[in-house]
């Protein structure tokens, strides 16, 4: 059995190996334009824009749904899709008198690890998306003393044409990328504190400067149609955009200092947790849902900043749970699924719409395989009597209800977990309802559930 040593002594930094980028040669000759209007807007484009997500229900109960504008726990510094609320996460740990090591195997922007820090518990956050780990690290390091920084020097031997195949070349001219990369090099060579501040500032700046490439679907960003549509900025404009974001991120993180315990952040896979068996006391997490959100596509621009080009190399997309890409069926584990999961697969297989019995069935099977492999791993790494809190959202495939909460409860029970409590919250506008095609089929409102289970 895969049983590597426990990796959580001190703050484990996110994988810097992905922070390299390749540059090849291509020549583009364009005039310099001034800073786009979008760059002057205050908040960064928020994936929750227009999505109603109250922090409390009408009855006053605290909902896990992150409010549309949440500042608590630095959620506004880089709004991460499907993050739950910091206030709720802290409350959940306190309410259930959590003690020992807290794990989130789908840690996203690190709400769980930050909440654990806040209530004084050691924690481990794992995510396969390196963008998520940078944001989680920024939040975990808030309040750390930061080095000052100076504007980077222009690289001496600037071979502009080498930037034409940089992942950022989907939106920027090589001249503009050359300056962004001067900043990137400065940031990744810097020490504690400024590393995550600098990278998140770069994410924000790139997102703002490419706002015009966003469409109505918040998880898709277009690429420039031709070289004339690429964003071209002077060095001065790139510097101002990045410095403005550094100043914002620095101010927010200095204001927010709650470090009271150790956090380890690991770039890893929920299906292969790099943790010892029976080492975890509490799991607080929200897995990706069966809603066709592709986390790599949603963060294409931030991944490009880190040197990851998902259109040239879709490896990361294939690996993420809930991906819209389907892997070879040889890679599926042969789990026998419970009644709720099998029934849903049966309904999808029989649906008369195009591709239901082909692509969509395969994708749903793959999702359930990833989910159950994740629950297997959680069962392995958790101590007996460990507590697990899962935040999950039901959804619809066409007119078929996807009862994710029921599926999780059943699959966990098959692996030795007993249900202690379920809280349900109505989700009035979810991404399913934002998508017109899905709305046409939607029969009822979807619910978000918080499921609490005990091992053994
Ligand atoms: C619903 S989000 C979690 C949001 C988080 N609770 C927060 O507050 O930001 C699910 C996360 O699972 C991550 N993920 C997807 N597949 C994964 C895998 N195989 N291993 C680890 N993490 C994965 C995604 O990158 C995403 O960050």
């Amino acid at each position: 059995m895969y049983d590597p040593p426990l990796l959580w002594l001190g703050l484990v930094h996110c994988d810097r190996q992905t922070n390299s980028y390749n540059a090849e040669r291509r020549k583009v000759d364009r005039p310099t334009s001034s800073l786009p209007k979008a760059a002057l807007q205050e908040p960064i484009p928020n994936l929750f824009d227009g999505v109603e997500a109250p922090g409390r229900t009408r009855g006053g109960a605290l909902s896990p749904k992150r409010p549309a504008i949440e500042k608590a726990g630095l959620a506004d510094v880089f709004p991460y899709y499907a993050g739950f609320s910091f206030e709720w996460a802290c409350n959940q740990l306190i309410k259930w008198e959590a003690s020992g090591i807290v794990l989130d195997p789908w840690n996203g922007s690190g709400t769980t690890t930050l909440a654990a820090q806040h209530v004084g518990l050691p924690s481990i956050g794992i995510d396969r998306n390196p963008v998520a780990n940078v944001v989680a690290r920024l939040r975990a390091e808030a309040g750390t003393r930061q080095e000052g920084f100076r504007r980077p020097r222009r690289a001496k031997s600037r071979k502009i044409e080498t930037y034409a195949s940089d992942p950022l070349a989907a939106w920027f001219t090589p001249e503009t990328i050359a300056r962004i990369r001067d900043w990137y090099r400065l940031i990744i060579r810097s020490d504690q504190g400024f590393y995550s501040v600098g990278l998140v500032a770069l994410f924000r700046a790139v997102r703002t400067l490419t706002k015009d490439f966003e469409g109505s679907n918040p998880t898709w960003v277009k690429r420039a149609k031709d070289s004339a549509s690429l964003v071209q900025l002077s060095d001065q404009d790139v510097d101002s955009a990045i410095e403005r974001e550094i100043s914002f991120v620095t101010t927010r993180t200095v204001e927010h200092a709650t470090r009271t315990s150790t956090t380890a952040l690991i770039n890893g896979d929920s299906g292969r947790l790099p943790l010892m068996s029976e080492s975890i006391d509490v799991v607080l997490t929200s897995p990706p849902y069966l809603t066709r959100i592709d986390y790599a596509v949603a963060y294409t621009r931030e991944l490009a900043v880190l040197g990851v080009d998902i259109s040239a190399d879709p490896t990361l997309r294939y690996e993420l749970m809930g991906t819209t890409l389907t892997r070879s069926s040889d890679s599926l584990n042969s789990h026998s699924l419970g009644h709720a999961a099998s029934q849903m697969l049966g309904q999808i297989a029989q649906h008369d719409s195009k591709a239901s019995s082909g692509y969509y069935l395969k994708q749903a099977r793959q999702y359930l395989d990833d989910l159950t492999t994740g629950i297997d791993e959680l069962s392995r790494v958790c101590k007996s009597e460990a507590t697990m809190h899962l935040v999950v959202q039901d959804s619809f495939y066409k007119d078929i209800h996807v009862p994710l909460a029921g599926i999780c409860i059943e699959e966990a029970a098959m692996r030795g977990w007993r249900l202690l409590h379920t809280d349900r919250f109505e989700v009035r506008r979810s991404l399913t309802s934002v998508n017109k095609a899905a709305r046409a089929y939607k029969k009822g409102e979807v619910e978000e559930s918080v499921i609490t289970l005990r091992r053994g």
Side-chain angles (χ1 to χ4, degrees):
M1 188 197 290
Y2 179 70
D3 207 8
L6 183 63
L7 289 174
W8 78 281
L9 295 171
L11 191 72
V12 178
H13 296 151
C14 74
D15 186 359
R16 287 194 185 205
Q17 281 174 358
T18 50
N19 296 346
S20 60
Y21 60 93
N22 300 317
E24 282 172 19
R25 292 158 192 264
R26 186 158 62 93
K27 202 169 176 158
V28 180
D29 194 15
R30 295 187 75 254
T32 301
S33 63
S34 61
L35 203 60
K37 227 162 95 215
L40 303 171
Q41 292 169 356
E42 191 46 50
I44 72 163
N46 184 343
L47 293 177
F48 288 103
D49 276 351
V51 177
E52 191 183 330
R56 283 181 190 273
T57 60
R58 272 182 235 133
L62 199 55
S63 154
K65 203 84 185 149
R66 184 181 278 172
I69 301 169
E70 184 181 59
K71 286 183 108 183
L74 292 173
D76 59 318
V77 172
F78 189 84
Y80 192 74
Y81 178 70
F84 44 60
S85 125
F86 171 69
E87 191 187 358
W88 173 84
C90 293
N91 197 57
Q92 189 74 358
L93 292 173
I94 294 165
K95 193 170 91 183
W96 285 88
E97 298 177 358
S99 62
I101 303 174
V102 179
L103 167 69
D104 189 339
W106 293 287
N107 194 41
S109 58
T111 311
T112 299
T113 39
L114 189 69
Q117 266 188 8
H118 197 71
V119 304
L121 295 174
S123 61
I124 304 174
I126 294 178
D127 204 285
R128 189 59 198 90
N129 179 359
V131 172
N133 294 324
V134 169
V135 180
R137 178 171 164 182
L138 172 82
R139 296 171 83 196
E141 288 179 347
T144 311
R145 206 178 63 81
Q146 286 164 26
E147 326 164 359
F149 72 93
R150 277 205 215 124
R151 273 190 184 183
R153 290 212 192 107
R154 273 176 131 247
K156 270 190 198 135
S157 52
R158 234 187 197 185
K159 291 196 182 112
I160 289 300
E161 62 279 13
T162 61
Y163 294 103
S165 62
D166 187 290
L168 290 170
W171 309 282
F172 295 99
T173 61
E175 293 82 354
T176 312
I177 298 169
R179 188 61 187 156
I180 297 176
R181 289 301 176 200
D182 288 340
W183 276 98
Y184 176 79
R185 277 187 290 269
L186 173 92
I187 292 164
I188 60 161
R189 285 181 196 144
S190 67
D191 269 334
Q192 289 279 26
F194 188 63
Y195 176 82
S196 57
V197 168
L199 280 182
V200 172
L202 216 49
F203 292 167
R204 290 176 57 96
V206 164
R207 200 164 252 259
T208 306
L209 295 170
T210 54
K211 186 163 174 51
D212 294 345
F213 296 93
E214 291 174 8
S216 55
N217 180 340
T219 64
W220 275 97
V221 60
K222 294 182 227 97
R223 301 165 70 87
K225 303 192 284 298
D226 48 37
S227 61
S229 337
L230 292 170
V231 176
Q232 163 104 1
L233 299 170
S234 66
D235 284 6
Q236 176 65 36
D237 281 345
V238 170
D239 293 350
S240 316
I242 295 172
E243 282 167 355
R244 196 172 139 270
E245 298 300 350
I246 292 174
S247 154
F248 172 80
V249 177
T250 306
T251 311
R252 289 289 292 118
T253 49
V254 165
E255 284 165 5
H256 181 103
T258 59
R259 285 181 92 191
T260 53
S261 55
T262 323
T263 301
L265 297 169
I266 303 170
N267 190 335
D269 187 343
S270 54
R272 211 164 178 264
L273 295 174
L275 303 173
M276 283 202 313
S277 300
E278 297 183 44
S279 56
I280 299 297
D281 301 274
V282 179
V283 175
L284 174 58
T285 191
S286 178
Y289 308 145
L290 188 50
T291 47
R292 299 178 53 72
I293 299 299
D294 190 319
Y295 285 90
V297 171
Y299 297 98
T300 313
R301 290 169 289 180
E302 292 77 9
L303 286 166
V305 168
L306 298 180
V308 180
D309 186 345
I310 58 161
S311 54
D313 177 3
T315 311
L316 180 64
R317 284 191 68 200
Y318 274 109
E319 286 174 0
L320 289 170
M321 178 173 163
T323 178
T324 50
L325 302 180
T326 51
R327 307 173 203 126
S328 134
S329 40
D330 303 346
S331 65
L332 289 185
N333 289 317
S334 48
H335 287 130
S336 51
L337 295 167
H339 176 73
S342 309
Q343 190 184 32
M344 182 192 76
L345 287 180
Q347 287 172 330
I348 296 177
Q350 280 163 21
H351 200 279
D352 53 13
S353 66
K354 199 170 154 225
S356 283
S357 59
Y359 167 78
Y360 289 107
L361 177 62
K362 205 169 169 196
Q363 203 231 343
R365 224 184 242 145
Q366 175 177 287
Y367 172 85
L368 291 171
D369 192 68
D370 287 348
L371 179 70
T372 46
T373 306
I375 302 177
D376 274 344
E377 273 295 80
L378 287 173
S379 308
R380 177 183 69 80
V381 301
C382 279
K383 292 181 182 165
S384 63
E385 292 298 308
T387 311
M388 172 154 76
H389 309 274
L390 294 177
V391 178
V392 289
Q393 193 172 301
D394 288 5
S395 56
F396 279 84
Y397 166 68
K398 313 265 183 213
D399 52 348
I400 298 169
H401 181 218
V402 176
L404 191 53
I407 291 175
C408 286
I409 292 170
E410 198 177 10
E411 296 302 326
M414 286 163 65
R415 291 159 177 83
W417 294 85
R418 70 195 140 88
L419 181 65
L420 296 184
H421 190 76
T422 310
D423 273 328
R424 292 186 198 282
F425 300 88
E426 186 189 309
V427 178
R428 271 169 266 159
R429 283 195 78 216
S430 64
L431 246 122
T432 318
S433 62
V434 170
N435 175 329
K436 268 197 207 139
R439 207 162 48 207
Y441 277 105
K442 203 160 91 55
K443 294 287 182 245
E445 293 301 333
V446 287
E447 271 185 337
E448 179 147 271
S449 305
V450 180
I451 304 161
T452 302
L453 304 128
R454 172 114 341 126
R455 179 123 177 86

